Amino acid sequence: MLKQIQQLKPNVYDYTLPELEALLQGWGQPTFRARQLYRQLYVNLAASFEAMTDLPVALRARLAEETRLGSLDLRREQMADSGDTRKALWALPGEAVIETVLMRYPERATVCVSTQAGCAMGCVFCATGQMGLLRNVSTGEIVEQVLHMQRVLRTNGAHLTNLVFMGMGEPFANYDRWWAAVERLHDPQGFNFGARNMTVSTVGLVPGIHRLASETLPVNLAVSLHAPSDQLRSALMPVNQRFPLHELLAAVQEYIERTRRRVSFEYVLLQGQNDTRELAAELADLVGGMLCHVNLIPWNPVPGTPLHRSHRRQVETFQQVLVERGIPCTVRVERGLEIAAACGQLAALPAGMPLVVA
Ligand code: SAH
Ligand code: SF4
């Protein structure tokens, strides 16, 4: 019961600055208090209301009474790659679970954020797709995943340099909440994270691509392509029946023309399915001439699927065909395979897996 009451309290991370101002004014507080609170949330990254020592004690008590500082319940944290990859598993109010992955490199640190618990898109190669959609992640819950990883980094004297919306879920199927999180995280008065260092990956929802093209913040776009023909793409990704390749690529081209930004095409390599030299040439025909980059992703195993990852030689040949055609093409470096934190493995397996960090 107590837990349910806790869950009904509004989450402060769901509030914009003007909304916090309205809330605190309603409590009879002077106008500047909301800004103080906002700085505590997004600049100091306060982990509790008590830690906000520049706010009056009575206000801190009221905030704790009537709101909550985040709504994610950390259930498990696992490490891989000698501590350079960290995966957090969270329970959301209502018990759905999501995951967040932090990847550290010598010169940068990237957080991969979930925008939905599960996903309705049903791509056959993806663990999240097998779950179906449980629920959307709220703006505050998206923001909180990032703040958590920034706190982790801060204790080591480091900070986030890149933010990718490539965790569980399809960001454009939760566009409004996702975009509000982008704006919050970008806000120079708060977290102040550059939009140019953010990338969103979409399965290919055309209306979302149009919307992103018209936004003022320069968030980067990655598009999951995975096949150069409608027949093959529809077999792997049901969404292709709704938005076939010609529509998808027309939307991407329009995005490029409006924004002048290079788009990244993701291509998961599945042995014997979409990884032949001929298909590489077809892909080159399809995207050649566009301001783009192809990111090949060796498929990460998902239990219960009959699929296999392509052999390394096959990946190299595929890449070579594209490069010879003048298309910039890289192979994504794997992270967190042993803790199922790699692309497409995020399915929030039930607890009981070995804990590395509690
Ligand atoms: N829903 C979005 C973003 C999340 S998935 C999208 O589909 O684009 C991020 C990337 O991981 C996508 O390109 C997706 O196709 C890819 N992916 C999914 N399952 C994978 C797997 N098992 N191995 C490797 N990549 C996978
Ligand atoms: Fe959803 Fe992306 Fe997985 Fe497809 S690949 S099921 S869109 S999360």
Side-chain angles (χ1 to χ4, degrees):
M1 186 63 189
L2 187 64
K3 199 168 174 209
Q4 274 168 357
I5 293 169
Q6 283 281 104
Q7 287 177 358
L8 291 175
K9 289 183 186 176
N11 177 0
V12 283
Y13 295 130
D14 273 325
Y15 286 66
T16 61
L17 177 57
E19 285 166 352
L20 285 179
E21 280 167 353
L23 179 75
L24 296 203
Q25 264 169 32
W27 292 358
Q29 294 287 332
T31 331
F32 65 89
R33 287 281 181 235
R35 269 176 201 279
Q36 274 181 311
L37 171 59
Y38 195 76
R39 282 188 64 81
Q40 282 290 356
L41 295 174
Y42 299 111
V43 181
N44 299 359
L45 311 178
S48 70
F49 289 121
E50 276 125 73
M52 302 179 181
T53 46
D54 57 340
L55 298 185
V57 175
L59 175 58
R60 282 185 262 159
R62 185 153 186 196
L63 282 164
E65 185 65 27
E66 297 189 29
T67 70
R68 62 205 151 116
L69 187 69
S71 58
L72 299 179
D73 180 9
L74 186 61
R75 289 289 166 90
R76 189 171 73 209
E77 243 181 343
Q78 291 170 284
M79 312 274 245
D81 306 315
S82 316
D84 285 342
T85 303
R86 171 189 283 255
K87 179 172 85 161
L89 173 86
W90 311 94
L92 306 176
E95 291 301 306
V97 283
I98 55 165
E99 294 177 319
T100 312
V101 181
L102 174 66
M103 291 157 284
R104 293 191 66 172
Y105 306 88
E107 302 295 324
R108 61 199 166 94
T110 300
V111 64
C112 179
V113 172
S114 294
T115 54
Q116 296 185 305
C119 181
M121 299 297 148
C123 304
V124 299
F125 47 80
C126 173
T128 309
Q130 293 184 349
M131 300 167 66
L133 177 64
L134 302 177
R135 83 154 164 87
N136 282 315
V137 177
S138 76
T139 298
E141 289 160 350
I142 296 172
V143 166
E144 194 182 346
Q145 295 173 63
V146 179
L147 299 185
H148 171 81
M149 292 305 185
Q150 183 76 306
R151 275 189 207 113
V152 167
L153 287 170
R154 218 180 237 193
T155 56
N156 298 308
H159 63 273
L160 284 173
T161 58
N162 296 81
L163 167 49
V164 298
F165 297 97
M166 297 188 184
M168 293 168 75
E170 166 53 37
F172 289 173
N174 188 19
Y175 196 106
D176 293 339
R177 294 181 192 87
W178 165 68
W179 188 256
V182 167
E183 289 186 322
R184 185 79 42 75
L185 292 165
H186 169 265
D187 185 0
Q189 298 187 72
F191 195 67
N192 193 21
F193 198 88
R196 281 178 205 283
N197 296 322
M198 301 185 195
T199 302
V200 63
S201 174
T202 179
V203 71
L205 296 185
V206 166
I209 296 172
H210 288 312
R211 272 183 85 173
L212 186 65
S214 67
E215 304 285 4
T216 47
L217 294 180
V219 172
N220 298 298
L221 175 65
V223 176
S224 294
L225 209 49
H226 307 326
S229 74
D230 278 319
Q231 199 191 5
L232 183 55
R233 194 164 187 269
S234 293
L236 298 172
M237 308 165 73
V239 72
N240 193 66
Q241 286 154 23
R242 221 160 98 216
F243 301 111
L245 278 170
H246 69 276
E247 265 186 57
L248 174 60
L249 292 174
V252 172
Q253 187 56 34
E254 189 203 302
Y255 169 94
I256 292 170
E257 280 161 21
R258 281 186 78 160
T259 65
R260 309 264 161 226
R261 287 197 297 274
R262 185 181 296 271
V263 166
S264 172
F265 288 115
E266 294 153 293
Y267 196 103
V268 170
L269 285 164
L270 299 160
Q271 190 192 319
Q273 304 281 329
N274 66 352
D275 65 346
T276 61
R277 185 184 274 275
E278 292 71 29
L279 288 170
E282 251 188 78
L283 178 63
D285 290 341
L286 197 65
V287 304
M290 292 176 89
L291 181 62
C292 73
H293 165 266
V294 173
N295 196 205
L296 300 176
I297 316 176
W299 182 70
N300 297 310
V302 175
T305 61
L307 303 166
H308 299 280
R309 65 160 43 195
S310 304
H311 297 297
R312 191 139 68 118
R313 286 256 304 282
Q314 202 67 30
V315 175
E316 285 164 7
T317 306
F318 201 97
Q319 181 182 23
Q320 201 185 340
V321 171
L322 289 163
V323 171
E324 278 169 7
R325 293 280 299 270
I327 298 166
C329 176
T330 49
V331 180
R332 188 173 291 179
V333 180
E334 286 166 346
R335 274 301 180 93
L337 261 188
E338 71 264 39
I339 56 168
C343 298
Q345 290 188 311
L346 302 183
L349 297 170
M353 287 171 63
L355 291 190
V356 180
V357 178

PDB file of all heavy atoms in Angstrom, residues 125-126 165-167 169-171 201-203 224 226 266 268 297-300 302 343-344, ligand 1:
ATOM      1  N   PHE A 125      15.085 -10.450 -35.166  1.00  0.00           N
ATOM      2  CA  PHE A 125      16.438 -10.688 -34.640  1.00  0.00           C
ATOM      3  C   PHE A 125      16.669 -10.039 -33.284  1.00  0.00           C
ATOM      4  O   PHE A 125      17.775 -10.109 -32.754  1.00  0.00           O
ATOM      5  CB  PHE A 125      17.463 -10.132 -35.643  1.00  0.00           C
ATOM      6  CG  PHE A 125      17.105  -8.738 -36.119  1.00  0.00           C
ATOM      7  CD1 PHE A 125      17.380  -7.640 -35.331  1.00  0.00           C
ATOM      8  CD2 PHE A 125      16.440  -8.553 -37.324  1.00  0.00           C
ATOM      9  CE1 PHE A 125      17.023  -6.370 -35.746  1.00  0.00           C
ATOM     10  CE2 PHE A 125      16.067  -7.279 -37.756  1.00  0.00           C
ATOM     11  CZ  PHE A 125      16.368  -6.186 -36.947  1.00  0.00           C
ATOM     12  N   CYS A 126      15.655  -9.396 -32.717  1.00  0.00           N
ATOM     13  CA  CYS A 126      15.873  -8.542 -31.539  1.00  0.00           C
ATOM     14  C   CYS A 126      15.182  -9.097 -30.297  1.00  0.00           C
ATOM     15  O   CYS A 126      14.000  -9.436 -30.331  1.00  0.00           O
ATOM     16  CB  CYS A 126      15.349  -7.145 -31.856  1.00  0.00           C
ATOM     17  SG  CYS A 126      15.355  -6.040 -30.444  1.00  0.00           S
ATOM     18  N   PHE A 165      20.007   6.927 -28.140  1.00  0.00           N
ATOM     19  CA  PHE A 165      18.693   6.366 -27.834  1.00  0.00           C
ATOM     20  C   PHE A 165      18.574   5.089 -28.661  1.00  0.00           C
ATOM     21  O   PHE A 165      17.961   5.055 -29.721  1.00  0.00           O
ATOM     22  CB  PHE A 165      17.599   7.379 -28.157  1.00  0.00           C
ATOM     23  CG  PHE A 165      17.698   8.625 -27.318  1.00  0.00           C
ATOM     24  CD1 PHE A 165      18.327   9.766 -27.799  1.00  0.00           C
ATOM     25  CD2 PHE A 165      17.197   8.650 -26.020  1.00  0.00           C
ATOM     26  CE1 PHE A 165      18.444  10.908 -27.022  1.00  0.00           C
ATOM     27  CE2 PHE A 165      17.304   9.788 -25.228  1.00  0.00           C
ATOM     28  CZ  PHE A 165      17.929  10.919 -25.729  1.00  0.00           C
ATOM     29  N   MET A 166      19.247   4.055 -28.174  1.00  0.00           N
ATOM     30  CA  MET A 166      19.337   2.779 -28.897  1.00  0.00           C
ATOM     31  C   MET A 166      19.142   1.610 -27.948  1.00  0.00           C
ATOM     32  O   MET A 166      19.547   0.489 -28.233  1.00  0.00           O
ATOM     33  CB  MET A 166      20.711   2.636 -29.558  1.00  0.00           C
ATOM     34  CG  MET A 166      21.010   3.661 -30.612  1.00  0.00           C
ATOM     35  SD  MET A 166      22.545   3.246 -31.472  1.00  0.00           S
ATOM     36  CE  MET A 166      22.716   4.677 -32.548  1.00  0.00           C
ATOM     37  N   GLY A 167      18.560   1.877 -26.788  1.00  0.00           N
ATOM     38  CA  GLY A 167      18.292   0.804 -25.839  1.00  0.00           C
ATOM     39  C   GLY A 167      16.987   0.115 -26.188  1.00  0.00           C
ATOM     40  O   GLY A 167      16.640  -0.034 -27.362  1.00  0.00           O
ATOM     41  N   GLY A 169      13.239  -0.479 -27.031  1.00  0.00           N
ATOM     42  CA  GLY A 169      12.115   0.297 -27.533  1.00  0.00           C
ATOM     43  C   GLY A 169      12.403   1.106 -28.783  1.00  0.00           C
ATOM     44  O   GLY A 169      13.545   1.221 -29.232  1.00  0.00           O
ATOM     45  N   GLU A 170      11.337   1.638 -29.346  1.00  0.00           N
ATOM     46  CA  GLU A 170      11.414   2.451 -30.566  1.00  0.00           C
ATOM     47  C   GLU A 170      11.122   3.907 -30.169  1.00  0.00           C
ATOM     48  O   GLU A 170       9.980   4.268 -29.872  1.00  0.00           O
ATOM     49  CB  GLU A 170      10.385   1.924 -31.583  1.00  0.00           C
ATOM     50  CG  GLU A 170      10.113   2.834 -32.751  1.00  0.00           C
ATOM     51  CD  GLU A 170      11.372   3.286 -33.515  1.00  0.00           C
ATOM     52  OE1 GLU A 170      12.313   2.501 -33.682  1.00  0.00           O
ATOM     53  OE2 GLU A 170      11.394   4.463 -33.916  1.00  0.00           O
ATOM     54  N   PRO A 171      12.162   4.756 -30.165  1.00  0.00           N
ATOM     55  CA  PRO A 171      11.981   6.133 -29.695  1.00  0.00           C
ATOM     56  C   PRO A 171      10.841   6.879 -30.408  1.00  0.00           C
ATOM     57  O   PRO A 171      10.087   7.625 -29.769  1.00  0.00           O
ATOM     58  CB  PRO A 171      13.323   6.796 -29.997  1.00  0.00           C
ATOM     59  CG  PRO A 171      14.302   5.672 -30.077  1.00  0.00           C
ATOM     60  CD  PRO A 171      13.548   4.477 -30.569  1.00  0.00           C
ATOM     61  N   SER A 201      18.096   6.220 -32.818  1.00  0.00           N
ATOM     62  CA  SER A 201      17.990   5.164 -33.829  1.00  0.00           C
ATOM     63  C   SER A 201      16.523   4.776 -33.984  1.00  0.00           C
ATOM     64  O   SER A 201      15.829   4.523 -32.992  1.00  0.00           O
ATOM     65  CB  SER A 201      18.809   3.951 -33.381  1.00  0.00           C
ATOM     66  OG  SER A 201      18.607   2.869 -34.269  1.00  0.00           O
ATOM     67  N   THR A 202      16.083   4.739 -35.236  1.00  0.00           N
ATOM     68  CA  THR A 202      14.695   4.340 -35.488  1.00  0.00           C
ATOM     69  C   THR A 202      14.635   3.116 -36.400  1.00  0.00           C
ATOM     70  O   THR A 202      15.487   2.923 -37.268  1.00  0.00           O
ATOM     71  CB  THR A 202      13.870   5.471 -36.134  1.00  0.00           C
ATOM     72  OG1 THR A 202      12.533   4.976 -36.371  1.00  0.00           O
ATOM     73  CG2 THR A 202      14.448   5.934 -37.462  1.00  0.00           C
ATOM     74  N   VAL A 203      13.605   2.332 -36.184  1.00  0.00           N
ATOM     75  CA  VAL A 203      13.343   1.168 -37.016  1.00  0.00           C
ATOM     76  C   VAL A 203      12.898   1.594 -38.418  1.00  0.00           C
ATOM     77  O   VAL A 203      12.878   0.792 -39.345  1.00  0.00           O
ATOM     78  CB  VAL A 203      12.279   0.293 -36.316  1.00  0.00           C
ATOM     79  CG1 VAL A 203      10.903   0.972 -36.368  1.00  0.00           C
ATOM     80  CG2 VAL A 203      12.200  -1.105 -36.884  1.00  0.00           C
ATOM     81  N   SER A 224      17.679   1.959 -38.911  1.00  0.00           N
ATOM     82  CA  SER A 224      17.925   0.520 -39.012  1.00  0.00           C
ATOM     83  C   SER A 224      17.436   0.041 -40.368  1.00  0.00           C
ATOM     84  O   SER A 224      16.237  -0.002 -40.626  1.00  0.00           O
ATOM     85  CB  SER A 224      17.162  -0.204 -37.903  1.00  0.00           C
ATOM     86  OG  SER A 224      17.697   0.147 -36.656  1.00  0.00           O
ATOM     87  N   HIS A 226      19.070  -2.882 -42.524  1.00  0.00           N
ATOM     88  CA  HIS A 226      19.182  -4.342 -42.392  1.00  0.00           C
ATOM     89  C   HIS A 226      18.897  -5.173 -43.638  1.00  0.00           C
ATOM     90  O   HIS A 226      19.128  -6.389 -43.634  1.00  0.00           O
ATOM     91  CB  HIS A 226      18.320  -4.878 -41.230  1.00  0.00           C
ATOM     92  CG  HIS A 226      18.560  -4.197 -39.926  1.00  0.00           C
ATOM     93  ND1 HIS A 226      19.794  -3.727 -39.545  1.00  0.00           N
ATOM     94  CD2 HIS A 226      17.728  -3.896 -38.899  1.00  0.00           C
ATOM     95  CE1 HIS A 226      19.695  -3.180 -38.340  1.00  0.00           C
ATOM     96  NE2 HIS A 226      18.474  -3.253 -37.932  1.00  0.00           N
ATOM     97  N   GLU A 266      22.094   1.570 -40.027  1.00  0.00           N
ATOM     98  CA  GLU A 266      22.550   0.382 -39.303  1.00  0.00           C
ATOM     99  C   GLU A 266      22.163  -0.859 -40.102  1.00  0.00           C
ATOM    100  O   GLU A 266      21.080  -0.912 -40.705  1.00  0.00           O
ATOM    101  CB  GLU A 266      21.897   0.346 -37.916  1.00  0.00           C
ATOM    102  CG  GLU A 266      22.352   1.482 -37.026  1.00  0.00           C
ATOM    103  CD  GLU A 266      21.331   1.855 -35.992  1.00  0.00           C
ATOM    104  OE1 GLU A 266      20.248   2.366 -36.384  1.00  0.00           O
ATOM    105  OE2 GLU A 266      21.593   1.622 -34.797  1.00  0.00           O
ATOM    106  N   VAL A 268      22.434  -4.981 -39.440  1.00  0.00           N
ATOM    107  CA  VAL A 268      22.792  -6.164 -38.660  1.00  0.00           C
ATOM    108  C   VAL A 268      23.111  -7.295 -39.626  1.00  0.00           C
ATOM    109  O   VAL A 268      22.322  -7.558 -40.540  1.00  0.00           O
ATOM    110  CB  VAL A 268      21.609  -6.598 -37.762  1.00  0.00           C
ATOM    111  CG1 VAL A 268      21.879  -7.951 -37.132  1.00  0.00           C
ATOM    112  CG2 VAL A 268      21.336  -5.573 -36.679  1.00  0.00           C
ATOM    113  N   ILE A 297      26.604  -4.177 -38.003  1.00  0.00           N
ATOM    114  CA  ILE A 297      26.537  -4.686 -36.631  1.00  0.00           C
ATOM    115  C   ILE A 297      26.533  -6.212 -36.693  1.00  0.00           C
ATOM    116  O   ILE A 297      25.554  -6.806 -37.144  1.00  0.00           O
ATOM    117  CB  ILE A 297      25.243  -4.230 -35.906  1.00  0.00           C
ATOM    118  CG1 ILE A 297      24.957  -2.739 -36.160  1.00  0.00           C
ATOM    119  CG2 ILE A 297      25.311  -4.531 -34.421  1.00  0.00           C
ATOM    120  CD1 ILE A 297      23.647  -2.240 -35.562  1.00  0.00           C
ATOM    121  N   PRO A 298      27.637  -6.849 -36.257  1.00  0.00           N
ATOM    122  CA  PRO A 298      27.577  -8.313 -36.189  1.00  0.00           C
ATOM    123  C   PRO A 298      26.446  -8.686 -35.216  1.00  0.00           C
ATOM    124  O   PRO A 298      26.381  -8.132 -34.114  1.00  0.00           O
ATOM    125  CB  PRO A 298      28.946  -8.704 -35.621  1.00  0.00           C
ATOM    126  CG  PRO A 298      29.807  -7.491 -35.822  1.00  0.00           C
ATOM    127  CD  PRO A 298      28.897  -6.302 -35.771  1.00  0.00           C
ATOM    128  N   TRP A 299      25.563  -9.574 -35.660  1.00  0.00           N
ATOM    129  CA  TRP A 299      24.376  -9.892 -34.858  1.00  0.00           C
ATOM    130  C   TRP A 299      24.776 -10.486 -33.504  1.00  0.00           C
ATOM    131  O   TRP A 299      25.636 -11.369 -33.431  1.00  0.00           O
ATOM    132  CB  TRP A 299      23.501 -10.901 -35.619  1.00  0.00           C
ATOM    133  CG  TRP A 299      22.248 -11.251 -34.887  1.00  0.00           C
ATOM    134  CD1 TRP A 299      21.167 -10.450 -34.668  1.00  0.00           C
ATOM    135  CD2 TRP A 299      21.932 -12.519 -34.294  1.00  0.00           C
ATOM    136  NE1 TRP A 299      20.208 -11.124 -33.977  1.00  0.00           N
ATOM    137  CE2 TRP A 299      20.647 -12.403 -33.727  1.00  0.00           C
ATOM    138  CE3 TRP A 299      22.611 -13.736 -34.175  1.00  0.00           C
ATOM    139  CZ2 TRP A 299      20.017 -13.453 -33.054  1.00  0.00           C
ATOM    140  CZ3 TRP A 299      21.996 -14.784 -33.510  1.00  0.00           C
ATOM    141  CH2 TRP A 299      20.712 -14.639 -32.958  1.00  0.00           C
ATOM    142  N   ASN A 300      24.156  -9.995 -32.449  1.00  0.00           N
ATOM    143  CA  ASN A 300      24.408 -10.519 -31.112  1.00  0.00           C
ATOM    144  C   ASN A 300      23.353 -11.562 -30.781  1.00  0.00           C
ATOM    145  O   ASN A 300      22.165 -11.331 -31.002  1.00  0.00           O
ATOM    146  CB  ASN A 300      24.378  -9.384 -30.093  1.00  0.00           C
ATOM    147  CG  ASN A 300      25.476  -8.374 -30.368  1.00  0.00           C
ATOM    148  OD1 ASN A 300      26.629  -8.735 -30.542  1.00  0.00           O
ATOM    149  ND2 ASN A 300      25.112  -7.106 -30.465  1.00  0.00           N
ATOM    150  N   VAL A 302      20.495 -13.955 -29.637  1.00  0.00           N
ATOM    151  CA  VAL A 302      19.249 -13.827 -28.888  1.00  0.00           C
ATOM    152  C   VAL A 302      18.696 -15.242 -28.730  1.00  0.00           C
ATOM    153  O   VAL A 302      18.439 -15.903 -29.745  1.00  0.00           O
ATOM    154  CB  VAL A 302      18.229 -12.949 -29.653  1.00  0.00           C
ATOM    155  CG1 VAL A 302      16.894 -12.904 -28.936  1.00  0.00           C
ATOM    156  CG2 VAL A 302      18.770 -11.546 -29.868  1.00  0.00           C
ATOM    157  N   CYS A 343      23.870  -4.618 -28.450  1.00  0.00           N
ATOM    158  CA  CYS A 343      22.715  -4.218 -29.244  1.00  0.00           C
ATOM    159  C   CYS A 343      21.735  -5.370 -29.391  1.00  0.00           C
ATOM    160  O   CYS A 343      22.125  -6.473 -29.746  1.00  0.00           O
ATOM    161  CB  CYS A 343      23.140  -3.826 -30.651  1.00  0.00           C
ATOM    162  SG  CYS A 343      24.223  -2.440 -30.708  1.00  0.00           S
ATOM    163  N   GLY A 344      20.490  -5.089 -29.155  1.00  0.00           N
ATOM    164  CA  GLY A 344      19.451  -6.077 -29.430  1.00  0.00           C
ATOM    165  C   GLY A 344      19.346  -7.196 -28.425  1.00  0.00           C
ATOM    166  O   GLY A 344      18.511  -8.081 -28.555  1.00  0.00           O
TER     167      GLY A 344
HETATM  168  N1  SAH B   1      14.265   0.544 -31.966  1.00  0.00           N
HETATM  169  C1  SAH B   1      15.346   1.235 -32.521  1.00  0.00           C
HETATM  170  C2  SAH B   1      16.498   1.446 -31.560  1.00  0.00           C
HETATM  171  C3  SAH B   1      16.882   0.306 -30.655  1.00  0.00           C
HETATM  172  S1  SAH B   1      17.710  -1.044 -31.330  1.00  0.00           S
HETATM  173  C4  SAH B   1      15.821   0.566 -33.792  1.00  0.00           C
HETATM  174  O1  SAH B   1      15.401  -0.540 -34.053  1.00  0.00           O
HETATM  175  O2  SAH B   1      16.568   1.176 -34.517  1.00  0.00           O
HETATM  176  C5  SAH B   1      19.342  -0.440 -31.741  1.00  0.00           C
HETATM  177  C6  SAH B   1      19.986  -1.188 -32.921  1.00  0.00           C
HETATM  178  O3  SAH B   1      20.295  -2.555 -32.554  1.00  0.00           O
HETATM  179  C7  SAH B   1      19.086  -1.271 -34.127  1.00  0.00           C
HETATM  180  O4  SAH B   1      19.792  -0.987 -35.303  1.00  0.00           O
HETATM  181  C8  SAH B   1      18.642  -2.714 -34.105  1.00  0.00           C
HETATM  182  O5  SAH B   1      18.229  -3.165 -35.355  1.00  0.00           O
HETATM  183  C9  SAH B   1      19.886  -3.404 -33.608  1.00  0.00           C
HETATM  184  N2  SAH B   1      19.675  -4.762 -33.116  1.00  0.00           N
HETATM  185  C10 SAH B   1      18.536  -5.328 -32.683  1.00  0.00           C
HETATM  186  N3  SAH B   1      18.756  -6.607 -32.313  1.00  0.00           N
HETATM  187  C11 SAH B   1      20.072  -6.867 -32.510  1.00  0.00           C
HETATM  188  C12 SAH B   1      20.911  -7.988 -32.275  1.00  0.00           C
HETATM  189  N4  SAH B   1      20.450  -9.097 -31.734  1.00  0.00           N
HETATM  190  N5  SAH B   1      22.221  -7.888 -32.592  1.00  0.00           N
HETATM  191  C13 SAH B   1      22.724  -6.742 -33.077  1.00  0.00           C
HETATM  192  N6  SAH B   1      21.984  -5.626 -33.292  1.00  0.00           N
HETATM  193  C14 SAH B   1      20.663  -5.675 -33.024  1.00  0.00           C
END
